[in-house]
Every structure is written in C-alpha cells, then in structure tokens.
C-alpha cells in the first residue's frame, strides 16, 4: 500500500475522533442553555404538571448522559431524530423528522456556497499569482487595496451596497433570493447572484493574499534564483517553480474560506431572505428545538473537518517528499 | 547541437569584465562589495576565483552573468560576453543568454533544485525553453551526460525527485543541467563546499572531465585553494572586494607573492604535539543506535576518550559521527550499550540525567547561527548556563560573563550585541563561551569549523587549543576535514557506515599501513598540487 493512503486513513480516523469530541461539546453547550423547549412553547403560565408531562413525552426528563448516548447512537445509524416543533402538550404530533427540515436548507446553502466558491477560488488564485508576478507595481497595489476594502466592510454592508446598485438603481438582479425546491436551476442562479457576489467579495481577499504571500515567500529560495539564472521567464518562474511548492498553505486557506461559506453566512442569508441552513439553526436555537440545533452544529463541524482534511491531503500529495518517499 | 551556436576558436576572449564595482545594501546604506576588479577569460579556460567569505567571490561570479542578487547592484565598469554588453542588456536579452550560453552551478545543489519536479525535467528545462533541441533529443542527451558524470543508473536516475538522490549526486546532476545546452561559460559557485572529501573527489573529477571534453570556459569559485588547484588554469585571489593577485596555477602554488595568499592555507600549518594519556574520562561501550527504531545507524561503537586530550572523529557524511555525539549527550538513547563517564554509567536518556551530569558534558554545533536564539543578547546567551548550573545572578553573573568574553578574545562591547550583529567566527566564539560557562569536563564539537573559511577556522582552533591547555578540557571533535584533524587531535577515531574502523593515536592512524577506508579518506584530501587529482585518479584505476 502506498504510504500516503496510510496517512490519509490516519487523518480520516483523527477526523472521526474530532467529530466525537465536537459532539460532546455541542451537547454540553446546549445543556447550559437556559430554559428548554417546554417552557418556550408552554410559556410562563403553564402549570408544573403540564411542563413535567410534556418533558416526559419529549424525553427531557432523562439524565443528560442517557440523552447524549441516545442521540449519538441514533446519529450513528443515520437518524438525526425528530424535531420538537410541531409537537404540543395537547398530544397532537405534527412534528417532522430533522432530516426533512435540514435537507432542503442544506442543499440551498451548498448551492450558494458552491456558486460563490466557483467564482471566488479561481479569481483569488488568479489575482494572487498575478499580484506576486507583478509585485510592488501599481497592479499589485490596486488588487491589494481593492480586496482589502471589500473584506474590511461588514458583510451586510456589502450586501446592501450591492442591492442598492444592482437591484435598485440599476435593477438587473433581484434583491430577494427566495428560492424553494421547485425553483428551476437557471432561475436559482439568477436569484442567488447578489448573495453569491457578496460572499465572493468577502472571501477573495484572504485567499488572494495568502496565494500572493505563499508565492513571494518562496521567491527567496535558492531554487528560484537557480530558475532565473537558467533563463526561465518570469511567468514560468512563478507558475512552474513557485506555485507547485505553495499549494499546502493556499489549500488550507481555501478550505477555511469554503467552510466559512457553509457555516458562517447567516447574516447574508438574512439580508437576502435566503432559506439557508444558518437561518434554520438560529430559529431552532430561539425555540430551543434541540434536535435541529444539534444536527446543524454537527453538520457544521463535519464540514470544517472534511474540508480541512482535503486541504491536508492536498498538502501531502503536492509534497514530493511525502508522495515519492526515498 | 552546437552547429547552430557558432563557437569561436580556443584562445579567443570570451568574457571581459573591466573595472567592475558592485555595491551591497546593509545597515540601511550602500557599501562597496567589489571595488574595481578586472577579469578576462578566454574560451575553454578555467579560472579559479578564491578568497575567504565576504571577499565578494560569488558576487563577482554572478556579475559575470550580468546578475546581481537582491540587495546588490552593479554600479560601474563594463562586461562584454562574446560581443554582448551585459551591463546595459535588458532583462530579456540576459534571459536569452542565461541557461543557454552562460550556465550557473550553485553551491547547495540540494536547495537549488526545485523539490517539486523530476530531475530530468529540470536538467533539460533551459534547453527546451530555448527550443535548442526536441524533448526526446534533449532527454537522451541528458542521460548521456549523467553517464559521463558517473551517475548511477543514468537511464532512470532522472525520473527521481531531488530528495531521492544524495548530495554528491545532486551536485553532478547540476553540472549535467548546466551542460545540457552546451554553454560557452559555466560559473561554478563553491560546488563542492558542502560535500565531504570522498564525495568531493568524485564530483571534481566528473566536473573537470566534462568541462575539458566540451571545451567549456569556466569560473570556479571556492575558498579552498587545494580544490581550485585541481580545476583551474589560472587563479585570481580576492580580498575585501579587490584583487590580491592573479597567476597561472602552478606559479601561484609554488610561489605566491602576497602574504595574504600564503595565509589562505594557514590551517595546514597548525600542528599540535600529541598528548596520550590513560586517564579515561568518557567511554562509549558497545553502542548500537537507531532513529525511530527502524534504520540502525550505529553498530557496536566503542570509543575511549582520555582526560585533557582531543579525540577527532572522522568519516564521511552518514558515517554516524553526529549520531555518536547524540548518544553521548543523551539526545538519542542507544538500543544497547552504554556511556561511562569517569567510570560511572550515564543514564541513557537526557531527561534522566542529573544537573551535575549535564553540566559536565557540553556541546558546540556546526551552525552557530541556528544554535543561538536570535533575540537574545550575547550576555543572555552566555548568562543562561551560569544561572542554571552555578546559580550566579546580578553582579557576579555580569563579572563572569565579562571574564568569559575575555577568554574567547572578544571585548566588552560584545556584551549587549545580538547574534545577527556578529560575524561567523564571532558567533562560534560565543557558542564556545556558552559551553565554557558550564565549566564542563568534556566538550563535544560537532563540525564547529566546517562553515568557516580557513583564516577564521585557524583562529577558532587556536582558541580551542588554548582553552584546553588552561582548563584541561577534553574535546570530542567531529569533523570531515583532515586538515583540521592534523591540526588539533591527539587521537583519531575513523568511522564508516555506523561502525568504528580504527581508533588510535594520531601518529599511528595518519601513517601507513592504513585500513582500506582510512586510506581512501586520507587520499581524498585535496593537496596543494595541481597534479594531485590526476595522479589520484590514475592511482585508483
């Protein structure tokens, strides 16, 4: 077996262990939330008996460790549980499976993240490489200043500016990104244009600057000087000699930003009224709908772990010392 | 492939540099590095460029390509390379010459090959970029070059990555890379400095033969006069950016006119009367050791070190010299065997040793740069062991630091300086003071002079000898430099592939009969004789 496969398997295992610890943290964090679903639904006026009966029905009367193991046990069989909302003390159960609540929202989020990522990552790489190539020129300074400006404004501000210009003054895109399951693909792209653009503007700076820095950092290496003295052109020095050695730090930053696109965009969702998973989680926290909160948190954690794992693997396979051991 | 690249006759002037001045930027201002040097090189000629570090050899060598490193600029003079004015050439014009007509062989081949690409691709890169040959033709030519440079498995070695071949092989690989486009001129910038003597010989032979075969002109930069004597037709000596003298190689060696040139091989003049004693202070007994428990690097190593003497451990890289030092200091607990100190076994691992045991064995490293915290002043660096081992503080500590500075021949102004403000030799002196501060019985010196040039080396060795006399310190001196061994050792341990080949007094080890490996090692040390390499090659065949 290639030693790389061993390393990858090892990282996967570590990822699973991390996920296990994260599940512990999520569960205990929710335990510390004041109040619970019964109080949120029944309100202040409820008698102690009704609250107790409702708690018993939801299983909230059981000790914490039992609830934790029940939860982890069912998650491992693929069952994220049933949402609390829709249940009432009356005994009428209109609740839905957590998976049914989350799936369409997650798809929306991934769609938006994918759209922003497909634009932002190549753009950031291109800007980073060219800025390194023409470093300390007018071009370099302009790119740096522009990306720094967009990252310095709060996301909602960027979003409202885009709405002002592209939805109001010059109405080419809709200001609301209200999609649902039946929205056709092209219309979806059209509706998501402004939120995707907002996110692109927010994440490009970080990736672009890291690409530029990683390449420039390598330009002092003896092998870059050697390449120059071999008569290799400036563009080829960057693309052929510097970039292949710079993937590891770049991949890490890309993974970080892609993860952010999935887990950190609730503000943008709110501005554009986009039905993503971020809003779902915020709503679930307000109503103490614990199964949904837990599922969302777990998905977020898994996103981070998986993307970082991929960045790690890219770092390994682009390092010839690891890919081709002696 | 040289057909479309018309070469002139041997004897035509190829490169002419006149009154070159180069400035370097440091301490916030520009300083002259090269102060008006002339250089003329004819086709097919090899010039040796020699001087200590900081003399401006590399800067001048690179200027011959019309290149100045960042932080340097060529401020005056003229460079004419075969009709091209390199001073006023544009970047594109220079690039058209580099890699095709002028090639560069760098000092550290390991750092100068791109880790991400296969060696063959890098070898033919310039040739292909300039469309001098088709890819297939260039690659098969490269394989032939590998073969003529005596690289193992020349048909397939190019498919490897730089980290998969040894340093000596990489250095030859780089010569093949320079040769791929059949340039008119190759600049060799200290190409064998990082290699040990036995490897150096192979690389020198390979480089000399191939330069001769293709009638390539070359500038060979080095600080080792004995090495350049084997390669060059004539030698130019540089000092402080100025020419000291230039002469035909044989003439230079037999009758250097300048005192400075003579001083360049002064270490070879240093000798120490042999001191043999039976009072064993440190003994390594039957030690086997391995890294990460897999590859065994030491087999049954036995070394005895007598008090107040210098035991030199010699051998090529990978022979286990430094590993032995790591075992003695406890950095690498051995698999079997033990280290006895004054007859008592030392705990194998560093963390199990008492403060007292730690204090008695100190270490000095090859790279003084990386062995000091760059953000600590000299006083902090020397003061740390004073505090740690002897509990000195305040006034007492300060006095002792000044005393130690005096011992290493540095004045009080060094007290508050940072390592970055010191020269290579001064840094190594501070490291010596730090080891002395602990008041040890044994100091392990791991290649402490390898990174220094001859004159500085001599100063450090004299200092070590003086300290030994004054404080009866025992040295375990690890080196691959036989000249250094001659200069300071009482006893010699020869190591090869993780085992001890022989141990004995210097007078015995350094005189015949030799075991095979000792013979190879001793015969590989370049001598101040231009025919030495040729004779050696003839003798070995």
């Amino acid at each position: 077996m290639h030693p790389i496969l061993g390393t990858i398997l090892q990282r996967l295992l570590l990822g699973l262990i991390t996920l296990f610890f994260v599940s512990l943290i999520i569960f205990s964090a929710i335990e510390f939330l004041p109040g619970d679903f019964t109080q949120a639904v029944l309100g202040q006026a409820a008698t102690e008996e009704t609250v107790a009966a409702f708690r018993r029905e939801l299983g909230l009367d059981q000790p914490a460790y039992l609830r934790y193991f029940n939860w982890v046990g069912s998650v491992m069989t693929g069952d994220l549980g049933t949402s609390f909302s829709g249940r009432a003390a009356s005994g009428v159960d209109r609740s839905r499976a957590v998976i049914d609540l989350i799936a369409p929202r997650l798809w929306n989020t991934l769609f938006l993240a994918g759209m922003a990522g497909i634009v932002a990552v190549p753009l950031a790489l291109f800007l980073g490489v060219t800025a390194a190539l023409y470093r300390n020129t007018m071009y370099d300074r302009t790119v740096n200043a522009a990306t720094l400006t967009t990252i310095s404004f709060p996301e909602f501000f960027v979003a409202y500016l885009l709405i002002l210009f592209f939805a109001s003054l010059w109405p080419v895109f809709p200001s609301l990104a209200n999609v649902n399951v039946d929205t056709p693909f092209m219309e979806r792209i059209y509706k998501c244009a402004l939120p995707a653009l907002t996110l692109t503007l927010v994440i490009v700076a970080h990736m672009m600057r890291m690409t530029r820095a990683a390449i420039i950092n390598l330009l002092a290496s003896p092998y870059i000087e050697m390449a120059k003295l071999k008569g290799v052109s400036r563009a080829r020095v960057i693309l052929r000699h510097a970039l292949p050695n710079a993937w590891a730090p770049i991949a890490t930053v890309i993974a970080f930003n892609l993860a952010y696109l999935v887990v950190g965009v609730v503000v943008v969702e709110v501005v554009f009224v986009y039905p993503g998973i971020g809003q779902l989680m915020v709503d679930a926290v307000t109503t103490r709908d614990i199964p949904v909160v837990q599922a969302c948190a777990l998905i977020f954690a898994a996103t981070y772990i998986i993307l970082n794992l991929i960045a790690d693997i890219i770092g390994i396979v682009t390092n010839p010392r690891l890919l081709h051991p002696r | 492939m040289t057909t479309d690249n018309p070469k002139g006759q041997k004897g035509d002037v190829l490169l002419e540099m006149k009154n070159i001045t180069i400035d370097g930027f440091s301490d916030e201002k520009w300083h002259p590095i090269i102060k008006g040097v002339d250089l003329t090189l004819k086709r097919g000629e090899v010039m040796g460029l020699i001087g200590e570090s900081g003399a401006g050899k590399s800067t001048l060598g690179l200027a011959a390509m019309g290149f100045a490193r960042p932080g340097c600029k060529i401020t005056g003079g003229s460079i004419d390379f075969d009709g091209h004015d390199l001073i006023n050439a544009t970047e594109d014009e220079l690039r058209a010459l580099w890699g095709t007509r002028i090639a560069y062989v760098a000092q550290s081949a390991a750092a100068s090959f791109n880790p991400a690409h296969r060696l063959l691709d890098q070898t033919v890169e310039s040739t292909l970029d300039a469309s001098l040959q088709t890819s297939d033709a260039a690659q098969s030519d490269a394989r032939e070059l590998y073969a003529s440079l005596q690289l193992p498995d020349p048909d397939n070695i190019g498919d490897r990555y730089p980290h998969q071949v040894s340093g000596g092989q990489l250095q030859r690989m780089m010569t093949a890379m320079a040769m791929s486009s059949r340039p008119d001129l190759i600049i060799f910038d200290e190409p064998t400095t990082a290699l040990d003597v036995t490897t150096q010989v192979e690389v020198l032979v390979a480089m000399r033969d191939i330069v001769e075969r293709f009638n390539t002109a070359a500038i060979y930069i080095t600080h080792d006069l004995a090495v350049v004597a084997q390669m060059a037709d004539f030698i130019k000596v540089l000092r402080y950016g100025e020419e000291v003298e230039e002469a035909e190689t044989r003439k230079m060696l037999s009758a250097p006119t300048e005192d400075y040139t003579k001083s360049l091989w002064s270490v070879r003049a240093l000798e120490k009367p042999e001191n043999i004693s039976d009072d064993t202070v440190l003994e390594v007994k039957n030690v086997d050791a391995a890294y990460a428990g897999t590859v065994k690097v030491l087999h049954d190593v036995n070394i005895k070190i007598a008090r107040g003497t210098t035991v030199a451990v010699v051998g090529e890289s990978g022979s286990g010299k430094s590993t032995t030092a790591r075992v003695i200091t406890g950095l690498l607990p051995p698999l079997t065997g033990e280290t006895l100190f004054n007859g008592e076994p030392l705990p194998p691992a560093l963390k199990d040793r008492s403060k007292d045991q730690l204090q008695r064995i100190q270490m000095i490293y090859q790279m003084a740069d990386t062995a000091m915290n760059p953000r600590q002043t000299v006083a902090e660096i020397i003061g740390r062991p004073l505090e740690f081992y002897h509990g000195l503080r305040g006034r007492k500590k300060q006095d002792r630091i000044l005393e130690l500075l005096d011992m290493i021949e540095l004045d009080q102004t060094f007290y508050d300086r940072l390592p970055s403000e010191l020269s290579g030799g001064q840094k190594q002196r501070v490291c010596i003071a730090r080891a002395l501060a602990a008041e040890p019985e044994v100091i392990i010196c791991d290649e402490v002079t390898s990174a220094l040039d001859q004159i500085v080396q001599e100063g450090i060795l004299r200092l070590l000898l003086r300290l030994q006399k004054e404080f009866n310190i025992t040295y375990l001196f690890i080196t691959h430099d036989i000249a250094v061994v001659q200069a300071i050792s009482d006893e010699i341990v020869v190591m090869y592939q993780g085992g001890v080949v022989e141990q004995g007094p210097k007078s015995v080890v350094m005189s015949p009969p030799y075991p095979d490996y000792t013979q190879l090692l001793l015969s590989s040390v370049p001598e101040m004789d231009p025919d030495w390499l040729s004779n050696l090659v003839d003798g070995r065949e």
Side-chain angles (χ1 to χ4, degrees):
Chain A
M1 190 174 76
H2 199 282
I4 292 259
L5 278 178
T7 318
I8 291 174
L9 283 176
Q10 191 196 356
R11 294 291 160 96
L12 264 175
L13 200 69
L14 278 175
L16 282 177
I17 294 172
T18 316
L19 204 55
F20 166 72
F21 281 109
V22 169
S23 76
L24 270 178
I25 294 171
I26 293 170
F27 189 83
S28 6
I30 289 170
E31 280 299 296
F32 286 122
L33 279 181
D36 69 8
F37 182 72
T38 51
Q39 287 161 342
V41 168
L42 299 175
Q44 302 265 315
T47 63
E48 262 177 47
E49 289 82 43
T50 22
V51 171
F54 197 18
R55 286 172 69 96
R56 201 159 40 246
E57 194 202 318
L58 295 175
L60 290 174
D61 57 333
Q62 287 172 331
Y65 72 93
L66 264 185
R67 278 181 284 132
Y68 174 74
F69 284 115
N70 283 338
W71 173 54
V72 169
S74 49
V75 166
M76 281 201 279
T77 60
D79 175 14
L80 288 175
T82 314
S83 165
F84 283 172
S85 66
R87 298 205 204 179
S90 59
V92 185
D93 191 352
R94 285 188 300 272
S95 65
R96 297 165 61 193
V98 171
I99 191 90
D100 295 335
L101 279 174
I102 287 186
R105 296 296 198 102
L106 183 61
W107 160 242
N108 288 344
T109 292
L110 291 179
F111 183 86
L112 181 59
M115 219 174 127
I118 284 173
V119 179
V121 173
L123 179 69
L125 287 178
F126 174 79
L127 290 176
V129 168
T130 48
L133 184 57
Y134 303 107
R135 63 191 172 286
N136 304 328
T137 62
M138 206 52 212
Y139 172 79
D140 182 23
R141 277 192 277 270
T142 313
V143 169
N144 266 308
T147 51
L148 269 184
T149 311
T150 60
I151 203 179
S152 305
F153 289 125
E155 312 165 297
F156 66 86
F157 183 73
V158 176
Y160 284 131
L161 271 188
L162 288 176
I163 290 177
L164 175 66
F165 283 107
F166 295 108
S168 175
L169 294 178
W170 186 41
V172 276
F173 292 115
S175 63
L176 293 187
N178 52 340
V179 297
N180 60 45
V181 202
D182 303 321
T183 316
F185 186 71
M186 289 316 287
E187 193 186 329
R188 212 173 238 274
I189 291 185
Y190 172 67
K191 284 190 162 171
C192 287
L194 285 188
L197 188 58
T198 311
L199 293 174
T200 302
L201 289 176
V202 170
I203 65 168
V204 153
H206 195 190
M207 292 189 287
M208 171 263 158
R209 289 175 70 79
M210 190 47 147
T211 307
R212 179 181 179 275
I215 289 176
I216 287 181
N217 194 20
L218 289 176
L219 291 184
S221 321
Y223 60 82
I224 296 294
E225 182 182 275
M226 189 69 221
K228 277 187 210 156
L229 291 175
K230 281 166 76 181
V232 177
S233 69
R234 283 172 70 117
R236 279 183 181 161
V237 165
I238 301 274
L239 290 174
R240 204 196 276 161
H241 287 275
L243 192 57
N245 293 293
W247 280 124
I250 296 175
T252 309
V253 171
I254 291 178
F256 180 83
N257 280 289
L258 291 183
Y260 166 80
L261 286 181
V262 176
V263 308
V265 296
V266 65
V267 173
V268 176
E269 286 175 7
V270 170
V271 172
F272 291 99
V273 200
Y274 186 75
I277 198 168
Q279 273 203 46
L280 178 69
M281 184 170 178
V282 171
D283 293 346
V285 169
T286 355
T287 57
R288 303 286 184 273
D289 191 348
I290 289 158
V292 176
V293 177
Q294 284 174 338
C296 289
L298 209 55
I299 287 171
F300 289 171
T303 309
Y304 260 106
I305 291 171
I306 291 170
L307 285 169
N308 275 304
L309 186 73
I310 293 173
D312 267 5
I313 293 172
I314 290 177
I316 294 169
V317 296
T318 56
N319 183 343
R321 280 169 195 281
L322 298 174
L323 193 61
H324 308 278
R326 292 185 81 103
Chain B
M1 66 146 295
T2 51
T3 47
D4 56 339
N5 184 7
K7 292 218 177 184
Q9 294 294 308
K10 183 162 183 159
D12 290 352
V13 171
L14 177 68
L15 174 74
E16 182 144 44
M17 301 169 77
K18 274 189 189 149
N19 199 21
I20 294 295
T21 53
I22 300 173
D23 284 1
F25 193 79
S26 62
D27 298 334
E28 310 287 306
K29 53 179 186 283
W30 290 93
H31 302 273
I33 299 181
I34 298 289
K35 306 159 188 165
V37 175
D38 295 339
L39 188 156
T40 307
L41 188 67
K42 299 189 178 108
R43 280 186 186 279
E45 259 183 354
V46 178
M47 161 191 259
L49 203 54
I50 184 165
E52 56 192 300
S53 46
K57 323 180 282 287
S58 291
T59 311
L60 186 64
L62 287 169
M65 306 180 73
F67 178 77
R69 288 216 163 101
C72 292
K73 62 178 181 199
I74 303 174
T75 49
S78 67
I79 306 171
D80 181 275
F81 172 79
D82 204 22
H84 299 269
D85 173 4
L86 298 192
I87 294 263
N88 298 311
T90 64
E91 213 181 301
D92 285 335
E93 285 166 353
L94 286 173
R95 206 156 34 224
L97 295 172
W98 292 348
T100 53
R101 302 209 46 206
I102 313 177
Y104 179 71
V105 174
Q107 171 167 10
S108 166
S112 299
F113 272 107
N114 193 321
H117 298 294
R118 292 181 195 276
L119 290 163
L120 186 61
D121 297 333
Q122 301 193 52
T123 306
V124 300
E125 184 178 11
S126 299
T127 309
L128 296 187
D129 274 6
S131 312
L132 296 176
Q133 272 183 317
T134 64
S135 173
D136 283 349
Q139 289 191 2
S140 69
D141 177 69
R143 292 195 186 95
E144 280 168 35
L145 286 172
Y146 295 160
S148 52
L149 285 161
Q150 316 266 307
L151 283 162
D153 192 12
D155 288 339
N156 300 311
I157 194 170
D159 296 332
R160 303 211 197 161
Y161 285 86
H163 68 274
Q164 293 175 310
V165 306
S166 73
Q169 289 167 356
L170 273 182
Q171 205 58 265
R172 275 176 278 174
M173 205 45 109
M174 184 158 280
T175 306
M177 180 161 86
M179 217 29 116
S180 168
S181 59
R182 300 292 184 276
D184 301 298
L185 172 64
I186 300 184
I187 316 284
F188 291 98
D189 191 356
E190 306 243 18
T192 61
T193 306
L195 306 177
D196 51 62
V197 281
T198 43
T199 320
Q200 171 171 284
V201 167
E202 293 164 22
V203 175
L204 284 178
V205 172
M207 289 195 297
R208 194 183 61 172
D209 290 351
I210 204 152
V211 165
E212 243 169 50
R213 197 173 117 203
F214 295 112
N215 194 23
T216 315
I219 295 177
Y220 195 99
I221 300 164
T222 177
H223 65 258
D224 191 335
L225 196 53
V227 165
V228 84
Q230 315 309 318
M231 305 295 294
D233 301 314
F234 64 106
I235 296 174
K236 186 194 280 291
V237 182
L238 279 188
R239 187 188 200 190
Y240 305 141
E242 284 172 291
E243 179 178 321
V244 176
E245 62 177 318
E246 180 183 306
E248 196 259 327
T249 302
R250 276 168 208 282
K251 211 171 124 200
M252 170 87 74
L253 292 185
S254 56
T257 51
E258 300 292 324
D259 286 344
Y260 176 71
T261 312
K262 289 175 199 157
S263 74
L264 280 173
W265 59 93
S266 51
V267 170
R268 287 155 213 274
L270 196 71
E271 266 211 58
K272 176 191 182 206
E274 197 171 288
N275 171 14
I276 303 296
S277 143
D278 283 338
D279 179 13
T280 304
V281 58
L282 190 72
E283 185 176 0
V284 178
K285 254 174 120 177
N286 309 327
V287 161
D288 281 19
Y291 286 109
T294 46
V295 192
K296 225 174 179 185
V297 281
L298 291 184
H299 315 273
D300 195 24
V301 169
N302 287 288
I303 298 174
K304 264 190 182 178
I305 300 163
R307 193 181 308 280
T309 65
T310 304
V311 175
V313 181
V314 295
E316 57 193 26
S317 43
S319 59
K321 307 187 295 282
S322 296
T323 311
T324 308
R326 291 175 66 86
V327 168
I328 294 172
T329 52
L331 289 169
L332 179 73
L335 296 177
T336 57
E338 57 184 354
T339 309
L340 301 176
F341 189 75
N342 288 329
E344 300 281 321
L346 286 172
L350 189 67
K351 62 174 170 32
D352 301 327
R353 295 190 181 175
S354 68
K355 215 179 209 185
D356 186 49
Q357 288 167 326
L358 292 176
Q359 177 225 323
R360 285 158 195 247
I361 305 179
Q362 293 292 313
M363 189 146 177
I364 312 173
Y365 298 89
Q366 174 172 8
M367 294 294 177
D369 268 329
T370 51
M372 291 190 284
N373 186 332
R375 296 205 180 269
Q376 287 187 346
T377 62
V378 169
E380 284 173 288
I381 290 168
I382 303 178
R384 167 73 184 150
L386 292 176
E387 220 176 286
F388 182 74
Y389 291 119
H390 306 296
L392 293 187
R393 286 182 203 284
R395 185 81 211 179
K396 274 188 179 162
K397 184 167 109 182
Q398 192 183 340
D399 289 347
R400 179 70 181 144
I401 292 172
L402 292 175
E403 212 177 298
L404 283 163
L405 278 177
D406 189 51
M407 275 184 220
I408 54 164
E409 295 153 16
L410 295 180
D411 61 51
Q412 303 197 351
T413 57
F414 285 88
Y415 190 88
D416 283 325
R417 292 208 197 162
L418 289 170
S420 57
E421 300 169 275
L422 308 179
S423 73
Q426 288 165 348
K427 281 180 200 161
Q428 201 54 283
R429 280 170 194 263
V430 172
C431 288
I432 293 173
R434 176 172 60 183
L436 274 184
E439 296 172 23
E441 289 179 44
V442 176
I443 298 184
I444 299 176
C445 305
D446 190 357
E447 303 268 13
V448 291
T449 57
S450 306
L452 307 170
D453 58 60
Q454 300 276 310
I455 295 171
V456 182
Q457 228 179 61
E458 191 203 352
I460 297 282
L461 294 179
R462 279 190 197 282
L463 172 69
L464 287 171
L465 289 179
R466 205 198 76 217
L467 294 170
Q468 178 167 55
K469 229 186 231 165
E470 280 174 35
F471 304 105
N472 199 30
I473 300 171
T474 311
Y475 295 127
L476 181 70
F477 205 97
I478 296 168
T479 182
H480 65 258
D481 189 339
I482 305 291
V484 171
V485 173
Q486 276 286 11
I488 68 151
S489 68
D490 298 304
E491 285 204 55
I492 298 177
V493 175
V494 181
M495 291 193 72
Y496 180 60
Q497 295 193 343
V500 172
V501 178
E502 66 171 328
Q503 168 167 18
K506 173 166 66 177
S507 53
V508 177
V509 175
M510 300 291 263
S511 54
Y514 308 112
D516 288 351
Y517 180 69
T518 312
Q519 164 79 41
L520 176 71
L521 198 64
L522 292 179
S523 71
S524 300
V525 182
E527 284 167 23
M528 228 39 101
D529 168 7
D531 299 323
W532 167 78
L533 188 60
S534 314
N535 294 340
L536 179 72
V537 174
D538 293 347
R540 284 189 186 169
E541 272 163 5

